Amino acid sequence: MDLIDAEESGALVIDVRSFGPERFSSRELSRLEFGARLLDLADDHMLPILDRCKFVAIFADMIDEFSRCAS
């Protein structure tokens, strides 16, 4: 079943084999990119301060785990 057939039937099915390896990044890069998004959210002054603190705490925990695994 290709993407067009899936759309006609109302279900969205994507064949991940068509993506190729260039569409996937390494686990470490993915974690660091996620950390960058967390810091962007923590820097958003439109969010409540408690939510911003939670993003920083999640980032700190993630970096701590990242450094433990890397060493």
Side-chain angles (χ1 to χ4, degrees):
M1 176 183 287
D2 62 1
L3 186 58
I4 295 171
D5 292 337
E7 288 176 355
E8 290 173 0
S9 68
L12 180 60
V13 177
I14 299 174
D15 184 12
V16 294
R17 294 173 290 190
S18 66
F19 288 164
E22 64 277 358
R23 293 280 306 261
F24 299 98
S25 62
S26 72
R27 180 185 297 173
E28 290 81 11
L29 288 177
S30 177
R31 281 186 174 183
L32 293 175
E33 290 168 358
F34 175 67
R37 290 193 304 271
L38 285 171
L39 290 178
D40 287 341
L41 287 169
D43 193 38
D44 185 356
H45 296 282
M46 299 299 290
L47 295 174
I49 190 70
L50 185 57
D51 289 343
R52 295 170 62 199
C53 290
K54 289 177 184 178
F55 291 129
V56 171
I58 293 169
F59 174 79
D61 186 54
M62 185 198 69
I63 290 298
D64 184 47
E65 180 181 341
F66 181 79
S67 64
R68 281 184 294 188
C69 293
S71 58

